[in-house]
Amino acid sequence: MKLINNIVVVGAGTMGSGIAAHLANADCKVHLLDLPSKISRNDITAKALENIKKSDPPLLYHKEKIKNITIGNLEDDFDIISEADWIIEAIVERVDVKHNLYEKFSVKRKKNSIISSNTSTIPLKILTEKLPIETKKDFCITHFFNPVRYMRLLEIVEDCKFKNPKIEKLKIFCQEILGKGIVNCKDTLGFIGNRVGVYSIQCAMYEAINKKIPIEKADAIFGRPLGIPKTGVFGLYDLIGIDLMKDVLKSFEKGLKKNDSFYEYVKLHDVAENLLKKGFKGNKTGCGFYKTNFSKIANPTKVLNYSKGIYYDYSKVDIKILTDAEKLGSKALLDDDSIYGEYAFKVFSKTILYCCEILNEISNNIVEIDNALKWGFNWYKGPFEMLHDYGVERFYQRCFDRNEKIPIYLEELKNKKISCYDNNTKSFINTKFKKIFIKTPKNTYRLCDIKRTSHPVFSNESASTWLINHNKSDVLCVEFHTKANALDGKAIDLLNETLSQVKSKGAVGVSVYNEAMNFSAGADLKTFLNFAEQKSWTEIDKYLKSFQETCLLMKYSNFPVVSAVSGLAIGGGFEVACQADKMIAHMNSTLGLVETSVGLIPAGGGCKELLWRWVQDKNFDDKDEAAVKAFNIVGYGLTSSSPIQACDHKFFLKNCDITANNKDELLFNSCSIIDEMSKNYQSKIEPKFCLGGYKIKNKMGEILEELKDKKIITEYEVQVGLHLAHVMSGGNTDKSKVLSERDILKLERESFINLISNVKTKDRIRSMLIEGKRLKN
């Protein structure tokens, strides 16, 4: 039973609606209230509900979750406050308005309820200054990040002198049911995430412009090579909204002490101010630092030349040191003596120095700061983890040589010849320079902690295997670590090697898992394109066969294999995930087979697997109809934005696969499943296919022709569809013949090779690679 069931959200704006939607995902009973309207009493909340339904990316796991939200207004429905376990305020950032509302909450609420504010700027002591002591005890700040469903960070600020167990229960609820990463913050301006994150963004923008680095190059540097999302700084500004960033900076300028180092960058840069004067606010207006021109298909985006105030076409940034840094690690870039390396180190060092400067003020726990940046800004590593990896002594010396002001924390680390983390004891060094063991929530394994204190069993530049001891049993964990975790030959080879060595390593099974944003965005198309341009069809067949055989080895080994999925698991990534014994998927996982978007078909067993899932569905008396259903799903390149939604397409099997609310549960739960399954493990029985052949292929062809007549697809896409139909119908067969999995896999390979030999397909792949995109729906 959930700790909290009945929740009222007051404020139906972007944040309030997002919070309500995510609570609905957890099957809580949610009342969404706002001011009454003259048009219709519930007009504001009714529109918010419609926006939730139409949201993209979707705020709901499944459209049916909307039934968990009841709308109302603060006059007609205020009595519902008395039934709430948790009252969440998400209204305008005006203290007087909030105080007035809290006074009413205090009178109406039930005794054991919790009140929280989603404020990002107003300190707790100001919010609660007029409240009676009993209400103060039950009040905290719950600062969700937008979009609420997808952003993992939840910052909580509480009055520690009360030590209220109800707030602790709220944290457990938010962690286990809502899937949030909880960061405990001191009652300071901007808390942790925005204080450090916005500083870093401002520093990156100012320094790029100071050094006259073009926007697209600055974003490429302050991005993947440093373990930061590819939006970089200018792209992130456009995403957030330049106008909103101005408001955020105003709150910092007003509230920070004048000697705070943030003041160096606290004002909105003149370049951004000039954009606002023109009405350019970023993505919401289609124009900001980047400009979108949807009429120009080949390259729809232009970028601002901030010196001249004009936009220009640009190509994918191709700088060798950035490519090297993605392969070799951020040190390669930070130590480079080019202007790009200098810029990267400047932002990197300023951010870390600022974290050290304000450490005592915002949190004496460096793990909280690292988690805030990882969960709230999607950094791969937090600032102190980056400092630890770079080396405290080396970092100190470089900063000292540059005459940077050295904060006490960094000075003492250097003097004591210690790092901020201790690999051997899984501990960190606090501001009193004592070792504090890192606490993780129950039933949690974090691969980053395991990697910090051990060495891989197998490793190459594309993947690594780690040994995890779970309940006295050893489990091997395969981690992909290419760009977007695209599956190249080395990644597949390492997976194969791991599967082949399980027993010799004394392990009971294999978990395929990683802590990156995506499980895998698909196969490495660049390799296929290179083979195709050289007309090396035998090499493509060999490559595909290796991929297929590795997936079959996963499926039919004499030990359990579990895929633990979050983010994108599409194309080849899904083919790996779906051929494990079980899939455990985070609720924000995107699953699907999207190869037709570039003129190919799945050829790692995806067609075969989805075909089998549908033809054995007991709801289909006619197995040909089931095959057509699978054909349509693959043909349209459909994806699902949650495992619940994925059940509709059989990307996720309701009676077999398992969901996880919190990403931290994935690795631990996959190990638990493997440990339990290994005690009485039975290998799967290979399926046999009896398919309709030409008869059903003709029916699929008719569907394609009808779509072409309606101008939904082109003649080229008809040809792609016919190759898919050849596979999904079983090829030259009929229902009197029995086909094995390998028969279907052979058809996959043949059709894939025929398609990639097509000039249009190669052009599509080439165009996608030039634009730097991965397969997506």
Side-chain angles (χ1 to χ4, degrees):
M1 185 175 178
K2 291 195 291 287
L3 298 166
I4 295 168
N5 293 295
N6 197 339
I7 303 167
V8 174
V9 179
V10 178
T14 299
M15 290 306 302
S17 298
I19 293 166
H22 196 52
L23 291 165
N25 285 331
D27 289 326
C28 295
K29 183 181 177 183
V30 186
H31 283 84
L32 180 60
L33 306 180
D34 209 306
L35 294 169
S37 172
K38 294 178 181 178
I39 304 169
S40 165
R41 298 293 285 175
N42 295 336
D43 187 57
I44 293 173
T45 47
K47 286 180 178 176
L49 205 66
E50 285 305 307
N51 288 336
I52 290 171
K53 292 177 183 177
K54 296 184 292 184
S55 58
D56 184 21
L59 295 175
L60 298 173
Y61 294 156
H62 195 279
K63 60 184 179 182
E64 291 182 1
K65 296 290 184 180
I66 199 74
K67 67 185 180 185
N68 293 324
I69 303 175
T70 302
I71 60 172
N73 67 76
L74 285 167
E75 289 184 6
D76 302 332
D77 306 289
F78 196 78
D79 284 351
I80 201 70
I81 295 291
S82 63
E83 300 174 20
D85 301 313
W86 182 14
I87 305 156
I88 305 172
E89 169 269 304
I91 65 169
V92 64
E93 293 283 72
R94 278 182 51 187
V95 174
D96 58 331
V97 179
K98 290 178 188 286
H99 280 172
N100 182 50
L101 194 59
Y102 299 160
E103 184 181 351
K104 294 176 182 177
F105 289 166
S106 189
V107 172
K108 185 65 69 172
R109 77 186 185 104
K110 67 182 182 182
K111 186 176 180 180
N112 292 320
S113 65
I114 297 169
I115 303 173
S116 75
S117 172
N118 187 59
T119 184
S120 60
T121 59
I122 305 172
L124 180 67
K125 59 181 176 287
I126 293 175
L127 292 176
T128 61
E129 62 187 358
K130 294 186 178 181
L131 290 175
I133 192 70
E134 287 305 313
T135 305
K136 276 187 179 182
K137 288 179 181 178
D138 296 335
F139 195 105
C140 65
I141 289 172
T142 49
H143 180 218
F144 291 88
F145 274 55
N146 187 44
V148 177
R149 172 185 167 184
Y150 297 96
M151 296 307 294
R152 193 174 171 194
L153 178 60
L154 173 59
E155 294 180 313
I156 293 186
V157 184
E158 60 182 311
D159 193 329
C160 294
K161 69 175 177 280
F162 296 125
K163 295 181 180 179
N164 189 342
K166 283 188 279 187
I167 305 298
E168 290 305 310
K169 289 180 180 179
L170 176 67
K171 292 176 186 178
I172 293 169
F173 171 83
C174 291
Q175 178 186 301
E176 295 183 356
I177 306 301
L178 300 185
K180 293 301 172 185
I182 306 299
V183 167
N184 299 293
C185 302
K186 292 184 178 181
D187 192 17
T188 58
L189 183 65
F191 313 130
I192 296 175
N194 281 342
R195 181 74 173 273
V196 177
V198 175
Y199 172 86
S200 188
I201 291 168
Q202 287 298 103
C203 175
M205 175 175 288
Y206 269 76
E207 295 301 331
I209 296 172
N210 288 345
K211 295 180 186 302
K212 296 182 171 54
I213 297 174
I215 283 172
E216 71 276 18
K217 290 185 178 180
D219 280 351
I221 297 163
F222 188 72
R224 282 176 173 152
L226 294 178
I228 292 168
K230 65 179 181 179
T231 47
V233 54
F234 295 96
L236 182 58
Y237 239 89
D238 278 355
L239 182 65
I240 295 170
I242 301 171
D243 55 335
L244 180 58
M245 283 298 298
K246 183 173 182 176
D247 291 340
V248 170
L249 290 169
K250 278 183 178 179
S251 71
F252 279 116
E253 187 176 11
K254 182 180 178 181
L256 288 172
K257 294 177 182 178
K258 298 297 184 286
N259 63 347
D260 192 293
S261 294
F262 201 150
Y263 254 84
E264 184 180 358
Y265 306 117
V266 78
K267 288 185 180 294
L268 190 72
H269 198 283
D270 289 345
V271 173
E273 281 282 12
N274 290 335
L275 289 171
L276 282 183
K277 288 175 184 176
K278 297 176 182 177
F280 298 165
K281 300 177 181 179
N283 292 357
K284 67 179 85 173
T285 59
C287 198
F289 292 103
Y290 292 88
K291 181 179 181 181
T292 303
N293 179 8
F294 293 107
S295 64
K296 190 175 180 183
I297 298 171
N299 189 3
T301 306
K302 292 176 178 284
V303 67
L304 177 70
N305 180 320
Y306 49 75
S307 299
K308 298 180 179 179
I310 60 173
Y311 292 89
Y312 61 91
D313 292 324
Y314 72 101
S315 302
K316 180 184 175 183
V317 174
D318 185 14
I319 300 172
K320 184 178 183 302
I321 187 58
L322 302 186
T323 305
D324 291 345
E326 287 196 43
K327 292 179 180 178
L328 304 174
S330 59
K331 274 187 185 180
L333 173 60
L334 295 170
D335 288 343
D336 188 66
D337 58 6
S338 68
I339 189 174
Y340 309 121
E342 169 59 30
Y343 170 61
F345 186 79
K346 181 80 169 181
V347 180
F348 166 73
S349 60
K350 283 279 192 179
T351 300
I352 289 173
L353 290 171
Y354 188 61
C355 288
C356 293
E357 174 189 322
I358 63 174
L359 181 53
N360 260 325
E361 180 188 346
I362 62 173
S363 172
N364 55 13
N365 185 330
I366 65 171
V367 178
E368 299 278 30
I369 296 173
D370 282 343
N371 286 341
L373 273 294
K374 289 190 291 185
W375 298 340
F377 287 80
N378 287 325
W379 289 18
Y380 185 65
K381 291 184 178 181
F384 288 99
E385 289 174 321
M386 294 169 75
L387 170 61
H388 174 73
D389 288 350
Y390 189 78
V392 167
E393 190 169 348
R394 176 163 176 70
F395 179 77
Y396 174 92
Q397 193 60 51
R398 287 193 70 180
C399 292
F400 181 84
D401 292 343
R402 290 161 172 256
N403 296 317
E404 297 282 5
K405 182 181 177 182
I406 307 294
I408 293 172
Y409 182 74
L410 181 61
E411 186 84 51
E412 285 300 302
L413 288 178
K414 186 262 182 186
N415 290 342
K416 293 176 184 294
K417 297 184 178 180
I418 55 176
S419 186
C420 44
Y421 283 101
D422 187 318
N423 286 353
N424 297 320
T425 59
K426 291 187 181 179
S427 60
F428 70 93
I429 308 300
N430 70 3
T431 52
K432 295 180 180 179
F433 303 96
K434 293 181 179 178
K435 281 185 183 179
I436 306 295
F437 290 104
I438 297 170
K439 295 179 181 178
T440 53
K442 68 174 185 178
N443 300 337
T444 295
Y445 290 152
R446 287 180 180 155
L447 193 56
C448 60
D449 293 336
I450 293 165
K451 290 162 68 173
R452 198 180 285 141
T453 57
S454 61
H455 298 284
V457 179
F458 308 111
S459 186
N460 60 37
E461 64 184 58
S462 300
S464 299
T465 300
W466 304 89
L467 186 68
I468 299 170
N469 184 266
H470 178 84
N471 289 342
K472 299 181 180 179
S473 296
D474 286 339
V475 174
L476 294 179
C477 174
V478 175
E479 172 203 26
F480 304 131
H481 42 69
T482 56
K483 183 176 179 179
N485 286 329
L487 300 173
D488 60 13
K490 290 182 178 178
I492 297 303
D493 287 346
L494 187 129
L495 176 57
N496 192 300
E497 181 180 11
T498 302
L499 293 166
S500 303
Q501 297 288 329
V502 168
K503 294 301 180 183
S504 69
K505 296 297 178 182
V508 297
V510 174
S511 171
V512 186
Y513 166 80
N514 64 73
E515 288 179 338
M517 288 182 66
N518 298 311
F519 176 81
S520 172
D524 179 23
L525 289 180
K526 189 173 182 180
T527 299
F528 288 118
L529 181 62
N530 289 340
F531 282 145
E533 288 179 335
Q534 296 166 21
K535 298 185 178 181
S536 300
W537 315 123
T538 303
E539 288 301 314
I540 293 178
D541 187 67
K542 181 180 174 182
Y543 189 108
L544 289 173
K545 194 166 186 180
S546 173
F547 187 11
Q548 292 175 343
E549 290 298 324
T550 298
C551 289
L552 288 178
L553 187 57
M554 284 179 64
K555 193 172 181 180
Y556 297 113
S557 291
N558 58 355
F559 49 81
V561 180
V562 174
S563 58
V565 172
S566 65
L568 294 177
I570 56 175
F574 176 73
E575 289 176 301
V576 168
C578 74
Q579 293 183 80
D581 289 286
K582 283 183 182 291
M583 183 195 305
I584 176 169
H586 182 242
M587 293 302 286
N588 287 341
S589 301
T590 297
L591 309 175
L593 295 165
V594 295
E595 285 83 351
T596 54
S597 65
V598 289
L600 295 170
I601 66 159
C607 293
K608 174 266 300 179
E609 194 63 27
L610 203 67
L611 182 60
W612 175 245
R613 292 181 178 199
W614 279 99
V615 296
Q616 65 175 335
D617 188 330
K618 294 177 182 178
N619 293 318
F620 283 92
D621 295 326
D622 185 348
K623 300 306 177 186
D624 286 350
E625 289 302 314
V628 169
K629 180 71 176 179
F631 165 78
N632 282 329
I633 291 169
V634 179
Y636 280 110
L638 299 180
T639 61
S640 302
S641 63
S642 75
I644 295 175
Q645 191 186 60
C647 291
D648 298 342
H649 304 316
K650 298 193 189 299
F651 296 144
F652 191 82
L653 299 177
K654 193 179 296 184
N655 297 324
C656 172
D657 298 327
I658 299 165
T659 60
N661 291 326
N662 196 306
K663 286 179 75 171
D664 275 346
E665 300 171 9
L666 288 171
L667 184 54
F668 180 91
N669 286 354
S670 70
C671 290
S672 295
I673 293 165
I674 289 165
D675 186 41
E676 188 60 33
M677 289 179 70
S678 69
K679 293 171 184 175
N680 191 28
Y681 185 73
Q682 293 183 337
S683 299
K684 291 180 180 177
I685 299 171
E686 229 181 290
K688 301 297 181 185
F689 295 82
C690 295
L691 299 169
Y694 283 119
K695 178 184 173 184
I696 191 62
K697 182 180 177 180
N698 289 339
K699 187 169 185 178
M700 294 171 181
E702 289 171 5
I703 293 171
L704 294 168
E705 288 297 329
E706 184 178 345
L707 290 171
K708 188 183 80 170
D709 291 343
K710 292 178 179 178
K711 301 190 185 305
I712 296 172
I713 63 174
T714 64
E715 176 59 34
Y716 163 71
E717 288 163 329
V718 170
Q719 295 307 311
V720 174
L722 288 173
H723 279 287
L724 176 63
H726 185 66
V727 177
M728 303 304 261
S729 64
N732 302 323
T733 189
D734 58 54
K735 289 188 177 180
S736 66
K737 298 175 183 176
V738 177
L739 301 178
S740 68
E741 280 187 296
R742 281 185 169 80
D743 291 328
I744 306 297
L745 292 173
K746 185 180 179 184
L747 293 175
E748 285 185 1
R749 297 198 308 274
E750 289 171 349
S751 289
F752 185 98
I753 291 169
N754 283 330
L755 286 168
I756 204 168
S757 66
N758 187 299
V759 172
K760 288 187 177 179
T761 298
K762 286 186 280 191
D763 285 345
R764 280 195 179 192
I765 296 171
R766 197 177 293 110
S767 175
M768 188 196 73
L769 292 172
I770 289 170
E771 291 171 17
K773 298 177 182 177
R774 292 300 314 152
L775 286 176
K776 62 181 180 179
N777 188 25

